[in-house]
Amino acid sequence: AAPSLLPGSDTNTGIFSPGANSLAITTAGTQRVTVDSLGRVAIGTTTVADTATALVIKNSASGDDHTLLDIVCDTNETARVRFSEDGSNFPGEIKYDTFTNFLAFNVNLAERMRIDSSGSVGIGVSDASTGDGKLTILASGTGSGTANTRVFMSGYEVTSGNKAGLWFGARNNENTGVIGSRTASGSIAFETYS
C-alpha cells in the first residue's frame, strides 16, 4: 500500500486512505493500522468482522502464530484492564500488581478473586494464603441465609450414573480417595483406594 502522506524520503512508509472515510498507516509498504469509516481500529489486519468491535489486533508476522498484548507498567506499580459502561466509573477490572505479584479480578467495584504470587487462589478473600491451601473461598454477608459458602460440582446428567466429586491424592497418585456424588441415585460416597 503506497502512502500519500510521507514523513520524509521513505516512500513506502506513511499515511493514506484505503477507501472512503478510512485512514491507514503503512510501513515497509504494508498496511499496518486501519481506522475505518465507523471508527473501528484494526492492527495487523484490515478486517473487522463485527460492527460492535472497536479494536482488532492480529499478529501478521509470518511463521508466528501468537498474538500478544503487552501491558507494561513501572516498577512496583499495577498494570490494569478496566471495564466501564460510560467511562464515569469502572466496575470491572483485571489488575496485576508488580510489587507483590498478584493478579486480581474486580466485579461491581470490588475485588472478588485473587491469585497470589505462590499460585494460591482466593475467592471473597484478598489473602489467599489465610486458608492454608491452594484455594480459599469465603462468603460475604451476615444473617441467616446470606453467608453460605458453596462449591457446586455436577455430573453430566442424572440418568447416566456419572459422578461429581472431590478427588484426593499425591502428585504421582491422584486416586487415593474421593468424596463423590452419584448423580443417578442422589447418594454421597466416601471412597479410598490403595
Side-chain angles (χ1 to χ4, degrees):
S4 54
L5 181 61
L6 307 176
S9 59
D10 190 351
T11 58
N12 64 357
T13 297
I15 300 173
F16 73 105
S17 178
N21 301 311
S22 298
L23 191 66
I25 298 175
T26 181
T27 63
T30 300
Q31 189 171 329
R32 308 294 187 182
V33 180
T34 303
V35 182
D36 70 12
S37 59
L38 298 178
R40 301 174 300 180
V41 179
I43 301 175
T45 180
T46 59
T47 303
V48 181
D50 196 317
T51 56
T53 299
L55 173 66
V56 175
I57 302 174
K58 178 183 179 182
N59 183 0
S60 57
S62 176
D64 193 343
D65 59 356
H66 302 291
T67 297
L68 305 178
L69 176 62
D70 295 332
I71 302 175
V72 181
C73 64
D74 288 335
T75 303
N76 297 334
E77 293 186 354
T78 61
R80 309 183 185 205
V81 178
R82 303 195 299 171
F83 305 90
S84 175
E85 181 180 20
D86 57 11
S88 62
N89 62 62
F90 298 88
E93 180 178 284
I94 302 172
K95 175 178 68 176
Y96 190 85
D97 185 292
T98 64
F99 181 65
T100 54
N101 292 303
F102 68 81
L103 181 67
F105 298 84
N106 287 19
V107 177
N108 197 21
L109 298 173
E111 183 178 315
R112 307 299 183 180
M113 185 173 77
R114 178 180 294 201
I115 305 172
D116 69 15
S117 60
S118 70
S120 295
V121 178
I123 299 176
V125 57
S126 60
D127 186 356
S129 64
T130 57
D132 194 28
K134 298 305 291 182
L135 173 64
T136 301
I137 302 174
L138 177 66
S140 61
T142 58
S144 177
T146 63
N148 296 317
T149 299
R150 300 174 179 173
V151 178
F152 287 95
M153 291 172 287
S154 177
Y156 182 69
E157 58 182 339
V158 174
T159 59
S160 67
N162 290 334
K163 303 174 184 178
L166 290 172
W167 294 80
F168 304 90
R171 185 180 297 272
N172 60 351
N173 184 5
E174 293 84 3
N175 299 326
T176 57
V178 62
I179 302 173
S181 169
R182 302 182 186 276
T183 56
S185 64
S187 62
I188 298 292
F190 296 81
E191 302 176 5
T192 59
Y193 305 90
S194 58

